[in-house]
């Protein structure tokens, strides 16, 4: 029903005009601000303990900032671009029109169930797409509040929200959409891509992966530890760009363990005060317990935590073929591995699938350049973690197993648009000389086109 309504509106009226896009984004912005406290409370209930500050920062303020960034630039992004034509077409003219792809689909994840449903919607709306949003069923109360907000704020012929479980998501992926964005695990992403392929629907897959941190010998260990822990323990590690494991020079291993513990204690002097977030489900906790089993671990907090909160730990020198090093952790466990030479660190990174981001801590030196040249990832972040993923000017996306496609800001606008060339021939043109019956003029023209150039 929702798809048919949006498809009918598309067939009747086409893409959303620019003024309607702006009005819709402003309405979405205001509705989100009006419900900020309600979302904080609802997400706290869904997570069974979610930091209010983290929710307001990462789920509300970040989205509002993205809307403001888009509103200030959307008119320029949508402007047709002149194409400079090559000889012998100089007298003709061509432009690229930025056309909405059509009816879009968005399947959101559970870790940031508000942000990661609305951020791609901002991209789709900026492009002029009519969009179906499917929030995560793992945060059911947030999904209901999100549906209510969008139903109240946005024209139902522009945005529709469908709630439900995996079967609803599978049905959405099977629709003849014009573009589909999925955020979630690599395993489910493969199923979404396979379902979309039946209709040749273009897909953007925002997946995850094992994002490594490489600590260089030039690093300030105390500052690096504080930044790494802040990125790792945000949302209790349930962040696709969270540091997944740390590679540190072997001679600094023990010192860095101490620095990481001290940083955790400084950032969370009282984890149960409301600043630390719980893991989303009992199943997630069971999985984390399995991942840390049989490894030497060090607790990052001095005080014990009760379920559903999970004690963050360092996992010391796990084997390269262990389960915790093969899977994306997606929780507050942080493997710490020593290395002798930068080539050893690079070899560890390359044994694992390409990550969303590689984190480098230290000077911008030849070793850093060697890491960037020798590895693959969606992004590289130097002396910082996670923050880049919330900057609208920086495209977000992975490579290989960590995803395909980019969005956020201009990249998101481009992902949901089709660059449609419009070519206009002039009355006087060289190509008219190249029609049969061919004569001497055609021969001379061909000769000029096929001239060899000196080496």
């Amino acid at each position: 029903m929702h798809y048919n309504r949006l498809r009918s509106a598309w067939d009747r009226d086409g893409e959303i005009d620019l003024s309607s896009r702006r009005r819709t984004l402003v309405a979405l912005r205001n509705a989100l601000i009006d419900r900020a406290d309600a979302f904080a409370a609802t997400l706290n209930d869904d997570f069974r303990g979610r930091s209010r500050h983290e929710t307001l920062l990462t789920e509300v303020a970040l989205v509002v900032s993205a809307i403001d960034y888009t509103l200030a630039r959307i008119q320029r992004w949508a402007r047709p671009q002149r194409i400079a034509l090559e000889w012998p077409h100089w007298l003709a003219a061509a432009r690229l029109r930025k056309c909405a792809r059509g009816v879009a689909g968005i399947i959101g994840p559970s870790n940031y169930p508000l942000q990661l449903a609305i951020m791609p919607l901002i991209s789709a709306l900026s492009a002029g797409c009519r969009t179906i949003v499917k929030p995560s069923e793992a945060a059911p109360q947030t999904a209901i509040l999100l549906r209510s907000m969008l139903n109240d704020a946005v024209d139902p012929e522009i945005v529709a929200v469908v709630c439900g479980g995996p079967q609803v998501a599978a049905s959405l992926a099977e629709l003849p959409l014009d573009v589909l964005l999925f955020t979630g695990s690599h395993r489910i992403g493969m199923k979404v891509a396979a379902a979309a392929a039946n209709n040749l629907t273009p897909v953007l897959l925002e997946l995850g992966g094992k994002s490594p941190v490489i600590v260089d010998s030039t690093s300030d260990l105390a500052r690096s530890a504080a930044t790494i822990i802040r990125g790792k323990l945000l949302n209790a590690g349930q962040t696709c760009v969270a540091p997944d494991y740390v590679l540190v020079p072997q001679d600094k291993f023990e010192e860095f363990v101490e620095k990481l513990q001290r940083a955790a204690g400084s950032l969370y002097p009282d984890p149960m005060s409301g600043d630390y977030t719980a893991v989303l489900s009992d199943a997630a906790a069971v999985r984390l317990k399995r991942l840390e089993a049989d490894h030497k671990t060090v607790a990052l907090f001095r005080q014990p935590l009760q379920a559903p909160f999970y004690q963050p730990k360092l996992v010391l020198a796990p084997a390269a073929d262990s389960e915790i090093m093969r899977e994306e952790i997606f929780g507050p466990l942080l493997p710490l591995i020593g290395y002798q030479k930068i080539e050893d660190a690079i070899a560890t990174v390359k044994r694992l699938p390409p990550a969303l981001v590689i984190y480098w801590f230290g000077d911008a030196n030849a070793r850093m350049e060697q890491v960037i040249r020798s590895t693959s990832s969606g992004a590289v972040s130097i002396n910082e973690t996670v923050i880049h993923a919330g900057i609208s000017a920086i495209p977000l996306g992975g490579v290989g197993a960590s995803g395909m496609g980019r969005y956020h800001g201009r990249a998101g606008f481009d992902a949901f648009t089709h660059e449609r060339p419009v070519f206009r021939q002039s009355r006087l043109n060289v190509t008219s000389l190249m029609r049969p019956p061919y004569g001497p003029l055609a021969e001379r023209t061909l000769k000029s086109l096929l001239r060899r150039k000196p080496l």
Side-chain angles (χ1 to χ4, degrees):
M1 180 179 70
H2 295 296
Y3 170 78
N4 291 337
R5 182 174 70 244
L6 295 179
R7 179 60 71 187
S8 294
W10 174 265
D11 291 342
R12 184 187 68 242
D13 299 327
E15 67 183 23
I16 309 163
D17 65 76
L18 198 57
S19 61
S20 295
R21 299 180 208 180
R22 295 180 61 86
R23 285 196 303 271
T24 301
L25 287 169
V26 170
L28 177 57
R29 181 190 191 278
N30 294 339
L32 187 58
I33 291 173
D34 291 344
R35 292 165 175 79
D37 289 333
F39 274 113
T42 301
L43 280 158
N44 182 68
D45 291 341
D46 277 337
F47 274 76
R48 306 169 299 168
R50 178 85 178 290
S51 166
R52 177 177 178 273
H53 290 94
E54 284 187 2
T55 293
L56 293 179
L57 284 169
T58 64
E59 304 262 21
V60 180
L62 190 150
V63 173
V64 169
S65 176
I67 292 174
D68 290 343
Y69 182 90
T70 298
L71 286 169
R73 294 162 177 80
I74 185 175
Q75 188 165 356
R76 184 169 74 249
W77 295 345
R79 191 176 298 145
Q81 292 181 350
R82 180 178 175 272
I83 301 173
L85 301 179
E86 72 275 19
W87 167 258
H89 306 291
W90 287 342
L91 297 178
R95 289 180 178 270
L96 278 181
R97 291 181 63 110
K98 308 301 179 66
C99 300
R101 285 186 178 270
V103 178
I106 293 168
I107 301 175
S110 61
N111 58 329
Y112 293 93
L114 175 60
Q115 180 213 133
L116 294 178
I118 299 298
M119 289 291 276
L121 178 60
I122 295 168
S123 295
L125 290 173
S126 73
C129 291
R130 301 173 190 275
T131 308
I132 303 175
V133 179
K134 194 279 177 190
S136 172
E137 70 278 5
Q141 296 180 72
T142 302
I144 291 169
L145 182 57
L146 176 59
R147 180 177 62 187
S148 173
M149 179 186 74
L150 289 173
N151 286 346
D152 290 346
V154 181
D155 185 333
E157 292 192 339
I158 293 178
V159 175
V161 180
V162 292
C163 294
Q167 187 53 52
V168 174
S171 297
L172 178 57
E174 292 169 354
L175 289 173
L177 298 164
D178 298 299
V179 59
L180 174 63
L181 185 146
F182 167 81
T183 304
S185 71
H186 174 262
R187 180 177 62 86
I188 302 300
M190 292 179 66
K191 293 182 178 181
V192 168
N198 291 325
N199 291 302
L200 295 180
T201 299
V203 293
L204 290 87
L205 300 177
E206 299 301 328
L207 308 178
K210 299 192 71 64
S211 295
V213 178
I214 301 177
V215 178
D216 188 51
S217 58
T218 59
S219 169
D220 180 324
L221 293 186
R223 294 184 64 179
S224 298
T227 303
I228 292 165
I229 289 296
R230 184 179 64 207
K232 181 62 178 182
L233 297 190
L234 177 71
N235 203 32
Q238 299 162 114
T239 304
C240 62
V241 291
D244 196 90
Y245 61 99
V246 178
L247 297 161
V248 64
Q250 189 65 56
D251 61 353
K252 298 179 183 293
F253 190 94
E254 296 299 331
E255 181 184 359
F256 203 53
V257 169
E258 179 187 337
K259 300 290 188 188
L260 290 167
Q261 287 180 296
R262 188 173 300 175
S266 177
L267 289 168
Y268 298 91
D270 181 8
M272 302 308 294
S273 66
D275 287 340
Y276 187 60
T277 293
V279 293
L280 184 58
S281 68
D282 291 338
V286 169
R287 175 180 170 275
L288 291 169
K289 184 64 70 175
R290 187 186 77 242
L291 289 180
E292 71 166 276
D294 302 323
H295 292 290
K296 183 179 180 181
T297 62
V298 173
L300 286 170
F301 295 159
R302 292 184 181 276
Q303 68 185 87
L305 303 182
Q306 299 299 318
F309 296 89
Y310 200 93
Q311 174 70 255
K313 298 174 184 175
L314 299 177
V315 180
L316 304 183
D321 60 350
S322 61
E323 191 174 16
I324 198 168
M325 290 305 295
R326 295 197 310 270
E327 291 187 17
E328 181 184 8
I329 295 172
F330 215 67
L333 301 176
L334 185 61
L336 190 63
I337 302 167
Y339 71 89
Q340 298 289 350
K341 301 179 298 183
I342 194 63
E343 289 80 9
D344 300 331
I346 290 171
T348 298
V349 172
K350 292 180 74 171
R351 276 196 296 267
L352 299 169
L356 269 177
V357 56
I358 291 175
Y359 296 112
W360 172 268
F361 281 83
D363 293 346
N365 53 30
R367 289 185 296 276
M368 185 191 79
E369 290 298 326
Q370 186 178 354
V371 168
I372 295 173
R373 286 196 312 272
S374 304
T375 61
S376 180
S377 64
V380 174
S381 182
I382 301 166
N383 294 323
E384 187 54 273
T385 61
V386 177
I387 298 296
H388 74 283
I391 301 173
S392 293
I394 298 177
L396 176 69
V399 292
S402 63
M404 63 174 70
R406 296 279 193 275
Y407 80 115
H408 282 194
R410 176 61 186 266
F413 173 86
D414 290 341
F416 284 87
T417 54
H418 163 58
E419 290 190 329
R420 190 179 187 185
V422 178
F423 174 77
R424 180 170 57 83
Q425 184 63 281
S426 62
R427 293 184 65 182
L428 297 174
N429 60 85
V430 174
T431 54
S432 65
L433 304 176
M434 302 303 295
R435 299 171 182 169
Y438 300 112
L441 188 56
E443 287 293 331
R444 288 197 297 271
T445 303
L446 278 171
K447 188 175 181 180
S448 71
L449 290 172
L450 298 177
R451 283 180 300 178
R452 295 189 63 196
K453 288 189 179 295
L455 296 176

